[in-house]
Amino acid sequence: MNEQMERCQKNLLRHGFDVRIASDKEEARRILEEEIAATVPESIAFGGSMTMEATGIVEALRKDDRYRIYDTVNHALPREERLELRRQGLLADLFITGINAITEEGALFWLDMQGNRIAAIAYGPRKVLLVAGRNKIVATRAEAEERIRTIAAPRNAARLNQHTPCVQTGVCADCSSEERICCTHMCMERCVPRKRVTVILIDEELGL
């Protein structure tokens, strides 16, 4: 674990978050499984995250009949069905997703199109598990916001086949496109109640 990750871990703990460290995505999955077992949830919901899916936890839970799964990341489902699952997932016992940026100062940042991820992270599910590769860690709030504008937003828009200016330029133009994905922002600076949110920092570059 590098010094930047250590500073991030220290400050997240100081701000009331629970923090686990994983050496790679395989260990992150094992930690997720441990946290799920400790939570004993009846229902689990997902928020879209390449890092989360890279751990393999989504596929594992789809095959596990012990839980009611609100599978909002299954794009084989009709859009309206996924939208309804997102609403239902706001009251799941456990919510799992990723993070767009984290500061060494111990703050978490997201950008959403509809806000389903940030709504669930902020309030609703009793427990939240967040995964993030080391590439998501930056020094300051300004760098976190810049990372979202120049990396997370344009690359995710391209990945999702959106027709926005940033897909062409690689930089947010604050557009008014109907397909704009950067509509709702959230910064979480403290975890209340303490340890409701567990951040799993992965010492590997994952996701956008």
Side-chain angles (χ1 to χ4, degrees):
M1 184 170 59
N2 60 39
E3 291 182 4
Q4 184 183 47
M5 190 175 285
E6 285 185 9
R7 286 192 295 273
C8 181
Q9 178 191 31
K10 178 181 177 181
N11 286 321
L12 286 170
L13 289 169
R14 186 165 60 88
H15 291 168
F17 297 92
D18 189 19
V19 184
R20 303 282 303 270
I21 302 295
S23 59
D24 54 30
K25 58 182 177 290
E26 287 77 21
E27 184 177 3
R29 174 176 164 173
R30 290 193 292 272
I31 291 172
L32 284 166
E33 290 170 344
E34 290 173 7
E35 293 288 338
I36 293 167
T39 302
V40 196
E42 291 185 6
S43 57
I44 301 173
F46 305 126
S49 164
M50 293 177 67
T51 304
M52 172 188 69
E53 297 200 43
T55 67
I57 195 63
V58 173
E59 285 302 319
L61 288 172
R62 282 173 177 160
K63 299 171 184 176
D64 195 328
D65 60 6
R66 290 177 295 174
Y67 313 107
R68 183 189 315 121
I69 302 297
Y70 298 109
D71 195 349
T72 61
V73 296
N74 182 359
H75 289 274
L77 298 175
R79 181 174 183 274
E80 289 304 317
E81 186 174 341
R82 281 186 283 119
L83 289 176
E84 181 56 31
L85 286 171
R86 288 173 184 174
R87 283 188 283 269
Q88 294 174 15
L90 294 176
L91 289 178
D93 296 323
L94 174 67
F95 189 75
I96 308 173
T97 190
I99 311 170
N100 290 131
I102 315 172
T103 66
E104 294 177 27
E105 300 159 346
L108 313 178
F109 292 79
W110 291 269
L111 177 65
D112 268 4
M113 184 176 190
Q114 295 177 313
N116 61 292
R117 285 192 312 167
I118 62 179
I121 293 164
Y123 192 83
R126 292 185 177 87
K127 181 67 179 179
V128 176
L129 301 177
L130 304 173
V131 290
R134 65 183 180 219
N135 50 307
K136 303 295 182 69
I137 303 173
V138 296
T140 65
R141 180 185 189 123
E143 289 182 25
E145 293 172 348
E146 180 69 9
R147 184 185 193 284
I148 289 172
R149 283 173 52 84
T150 61
I151 298 176
R155 294 187 188 177
N156 273 307
R159 178 177 65 88
L160 297 170
N161 297 314
Q162 303 295 89
H163 298 89
T164 55
C166 66
V167 171
Q168 301 299 320
T169 66
V171 179
C172 175
D174 193 19
C175 72
S176 297
S177 169
E178 291 293 323
E179 297 189 14
R180 171 181 171 135
I181 68 169
C182 48
C183 300
T184 308
H185 298 251
M186 183 172 77
C187 169
M188 182 176 277
E189 297 181 337
R190 299 292 189 278
C191 181
V192 180
R194 292 182 68 86
K195 297 189 176 183
R196 170 181 171 263
V197 176
T198 294
V199 179
I200 302 169
L201 298 175
I202 308 169
D203 196 7
E204 186 176 2
E205 296 202 0
L206 293 167
L208 299 176

